[in-house]
């Protein structure tokens, strides 16, 4: 073989290896790029970013083009290398040398190195190669069309098959945690975003003030008693019922009451009753908030399946699920979970057990428990009226009833004991 031809073939192999690196880098860049970041650049008017997003949106065609192009240049470079080395070392040795050489070179120069670099700078590489990739998609269109039709027949989906979402809420929460760890998001910002994601999943029955804690007044109550109720409860809105709390007819606002009271004119509670919203207990808090906003109300009564009163919820209660507890000057601050000096936790009986377990970093299997409070879970596990000192286990957590008032669990002590799960697993193995 002429030396000029040999030099030309070697130069061609180098060019083909460069194309192999280009295809490999493009594939990795597009599959690992942050689409939100590139779309943000598109919104800022970046033309390369727009071309990259256009390529990505036609992903099946893009990927087929990359794979077809990569295979063409890899096979061509291996064939040429085999011909050159066979001319120098003979057919048998030439094939062996070419195989070893091309596997090594293709792995290092055509796969590992370009893909590693593209992974580190995926958005930059995707935008830098966007024009060339688009040109390849047009040039190789006849080939890719045939392959797309063939693969479409093989992987054809039924018309009624449900399309999987590109990202679930759980995956989005994990992504927020990762961004938070990188320092891009502050902890409070991350918590606010995750609260917003979970907002629509919370039922109003999970956050409402339970029936037994509602401060309500009978419609026939005299004015002085009503005044004393406002003073002692320190609430600005008090529900009014007729007969029993299951028949709430409205609410009285402290402003309306005392404006009439200080005027020294005779009035009845029925003169100043305002309407309240009634919502089913399984309604999401996002829906309740929307309904309260539309009705320009701040108070809703939560009803069960039979129309009885389950509890009461205010707009402030709903907003606290987004931004955390909102305290004012007159509130007595009571945290649902307090870590003690000995490593145990004091938990309020009406705290959400799922939130508590998440806060203390423990997994929780409800075991069929359908409510949410810590006290309710102890009732569920004990299957009787609990007493102070009673204990139940949940995973690595041992719960001790700390205080009870009127058969209601007020405080519980949580003790984390990893030996609990080890003991249970040991018993399971013996059985």
């Amino acid at each position: 073989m002429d030396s000029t031809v040999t030099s030309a073939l070697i130069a061609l192999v180098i060019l083909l290896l460069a194309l192999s690196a280009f295809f490999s880098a493009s594939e990795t860049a597009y599959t690992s790029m942050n689409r939100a970041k590139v779309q943000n650049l598109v919104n800022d008017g970046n033309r390369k970013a727009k071309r990259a997003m256009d390529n990505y949106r036609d992903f099946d065609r893009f990927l087929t083009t990359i794979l077809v192009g990569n295979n063409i240049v890899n096979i061509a470079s291996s064939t040429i290398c085999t011909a050159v080395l066979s001319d120098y070392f003979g057919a048998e040795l030439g094939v062996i040398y070419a195989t070893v050489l091309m596997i090594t070179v293709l792995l290092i120069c055509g796969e590992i190195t370009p893909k590693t670099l593209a992974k580190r700078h995926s958005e930059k590489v995707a935008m830098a190669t966007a024009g060339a990739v688009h040109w390849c998609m047009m040039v190789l269109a006849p080939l890719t069309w045939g392959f797309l039709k063939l693969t479409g027949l093989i992987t054809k989906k039924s018309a009624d098959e449900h399309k999987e979402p590109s990202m679930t809420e759980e995956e989005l929460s994990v992504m927020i945690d990762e961004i938070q760890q990188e320092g891009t998001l502050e902890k409070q910002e991350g918590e606010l975003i995750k609260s917003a994601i979970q907002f629509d999943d919370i039922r109003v029955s999970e956050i409402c003030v339970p029936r037994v804690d509602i401060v309500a007044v009978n419609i026939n109550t005299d004015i002085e008693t009503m005044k004393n109720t406002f003073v002692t409860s320190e609430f600005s809105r008090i529900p009014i019922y007729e007969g029993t709390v299951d028949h709430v007819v409205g609410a009285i606002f402290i402003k309306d009451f005392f404006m009439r009271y200080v005027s020294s004119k005779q009035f009845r509670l029925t003169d100043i009753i305002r309407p309240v919203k009634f919502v089913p207990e399984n309604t999401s808090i996002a829906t309740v908030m929307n309904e309260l906003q539309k009705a320009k109300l701040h108070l809703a009564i939560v009803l069960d399946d039979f129309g009885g009163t389950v509890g009461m919820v205010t707009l402030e209660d709903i907003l606290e699920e987004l931004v955390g507890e909102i305290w004012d000057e007159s509130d007595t601050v009571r945290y649902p979970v307090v870590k003690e000096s000995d490593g145990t936790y004091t938990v309020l009986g009406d705290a959400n057990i799922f939130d508590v377990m998440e806060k203390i970093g423990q997994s929780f299997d409800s075991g069929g428990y359908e409510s949410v409070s810590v006290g309710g879970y102890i009732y569920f596990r004990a299957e009787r009226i609990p007493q102070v000192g009673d204990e139940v286990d949940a995973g690595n957590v041992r719960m001790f009833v700390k205080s009870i008032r009127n058969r209601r669990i007020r405080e519980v002590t949580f003790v984390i004991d990893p030996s609990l799960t080890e003991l249970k697993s040991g018993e399971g193995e013996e059985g």
Side-chain angles (χ1 to χ4, degrees):
M1 188 181 292
D2 187 85
S3 60
T4 305
V5 175
T6 301
S7 299
L9 291 175
I10 292 173
L12 182 57
V13 169
I14 294 172
L15 175 62
L16 292 171
L17 287 173
L19 288 173
S20 177
F22 160 75
F23 285 122
S24 295
S26 299
E27 179 186 357
T28 300
Y30 275 85
T31 53
S32 59
M33 73 177 183
N34 187 323
R35 298 197 301 276
K37 189 181 292 186
V38 177
Q39 184 60 49
N40 189 44
L41 293 172
V42 173
N43 297 338
D44 291 340
N46 190 309
R47 295 178 63 185
K48 289 184 178 180
K50 184 179 184 305
R51 177 60 60 81
M53 285 303 295
D54 290 341
N55 294 340
Y56 185 85
R57 290 189 183 101
D58 195 0
F59 190 79
D60 288 346
R61 186 182 168 200
F62 156 77
L63 185 60
T64 304
T65 300
I66 292 297
L67 294 176
V68 168
N70 209 3
N71 276 281
I72 289 174
V73 297
N74 287 347
I75 292 170
S77 61
S78 298
T79 302
I80 295 170
C81 182
T82 301
V84 172
L85 293 182
S86 294
D87 186 62
Y88 273 90
F89 302 103
E92 292 185 2
L93 286 176
V95 170
I96 295 172
Y97 290 160
T99 301
V100 174
L101 177 63
M102 289 308 296
I103 287 176
T104 305
V105 173
L106 281 174
L107 279 175
I108 295 174
C109 301
E111 294 289 335
I112 297 173
T113 302
K115 287 187 174 183
T116 301
L117 293 174
K119 181 69 173 64
R120 292 175 183 172
H121 312 283
S122 52
E123 292 82 20
K124 291 181 180 179
V125 173
M127 290 187 290
T129 60
V133 167
H134 181 70
W135 183 83
C136 290
M137 289 170 71
M138 291 190 296
V139 171
L140 297 176
L143 279 174
T144 56
W145 180 87
F147 283 113
L148 284 171
K149 289 294 181 182
L150 182 61
T151 54
L153 291 173
I154 297 172
T155 61
K156 187 177 181 180
K157 298 180 179 179
S158 59
D160 58 345
E161 186 175 352
H162 178 67
K163 188 178 179 181
E164 290 286 335
S166 59
M167 183 176 292
T168 63
E169 289 185 2
E170 291 77 11
E171 291 169 342
L172 184 56
S173 294
V174 172
M175 181 181 291
I176 292 168
D177 288 335
E178 291 176 352
I179 297 172
Q180 207 171 296
Q181 290 172 2
E182 291 173 359
T184 307
L185 274 178
E186 296 291 335
K187 184 179 179 181
Q188 289 182 334
E189 294 172 334
E191 293 300 323
L192 182 59
I193 295 171
K194 286 194 285 187
S195 296
I197 294 170
Q198 299 164 0
F199 193 63
D200 195 48
D201 297 330
I202 302 172
R203 306 296 99 185
V204 68
S205 58
E206 297 178 32
I207 69 163
C208 69
V209 177
R211 175 192 172 107
V212 294
D213 289 341
I214 294 177
V215 175
V217 172
N218 191 293
I219 195 169
N220 298 318
T221 299
D222 62 83
I223 300 302
E224 286 301 317
T225 303
M226 188 71 214
K227 183 198 77 170
N228 293 334
T229 303
F230 270 119
V231 172
T232 55
S233 70
E234 299 182 354
F235 293 139
S236 60
R237 300 173 182 86
I238 293 180
I240 303 298
Y241 63 86
E242 188 174 354
T244 69
V245 182
D246 285 322
H247 190 202
V248 174
V249 294
I252 291 181
F253 291 11
I254 191 170
K255 177 185 71 174
D256 297 338
F257 178 83
F258 279 102
M259 283 181 67
R260 290 292 189 98
Y261 186 82
V262 298
S263 68
S264 301
K265 294 180 181 179
Q266 293 292 327
F267 70 98
R268 294 178 302 175
L269 296 185
T270 52
D271 298 333
I272 55 174
I273 289 179
R274 293 202 187 193
V276 294
K277 194 75 179 174
F278 295 93
V279 296
E281 60 181 333
N282 61 351
T283 309
S284 74
I285 60 175
T287 302
V288 176
M289 184 174 75
N290 189 40
E291 290 182 2
L292 288 174
Q293 287 176 315
K294 286 180 179 178
K296 297 181 180 179
L297 297 173
H298 283 256
L299 181 70
I301 302 299
V302 184
L303 305 178
D304 61 19
D305 297 340
F306 305 99
T309 299
V310 172
M312 178 185 76
V313 68
T314 65
L315 201 55
E316 181 179 309
D317 295 328
I318 296 173
L319 291 175
E320 285 179 341
E321 292 301 311
L322 274 177
V323 300
E325 293 292 334
I326 302 172
W327 307 105
D328 60 32
E329 297 85 352
S330 61
D331 285 338
T332 301
V333 179
R334 296 179 71 222
Y335 295 103
V337 184
V338 176
K339 187 172 184 179
E340 306 294 348
S341 57
D342 59 358
T344 63
Y345 296 87
T346 298
V347 180
L348 297 181
D350 56 1
N352 186 309
I353 191 167
F354 297 92
D355 293 342
V356 172
M357 288 298 197
E358 183 179 352
K359 187 175 183 65
I360 66 177
Q362 298 296 314
S363 59
F364 177 62
D365 179 7
S366 64
Y369 178 55
E370 296 180 354
S371 190
V372 296
S373 71
V374 172
Y377 179 73
I378 294 175
Y379 265 87
F380 171 75
R381 288 289 306 276
E383 298 182 342
R384 59 177 175 79
I385 304 298
Q387 304 294 323
V388 173
D390 284 355
E391 62 179 80
V392 298
D393 297 337
N396 287 338
V397 179
R398 179 161 285 159
M399 307 176 194
F400 296 90
V401 178
K402 186 176 181 181
S403 65
I404 295 177
R405 186 184 304 162
N406 297 328
R407 295 184 298 279
R408 182 176 179 182
I409 298 175
R410 309 298 295 186
E411 289 184 329
V412 180
T413 299
F414 277 39
V415 180
I416 298 176
D417 186 358
S419 65
L420 289 175
T421 51
E422 295 174 8
L423 181 62
K424 290 175 184 177
S425 61
E427 290 174 353
E429 291 173 4
E430 289 175 8

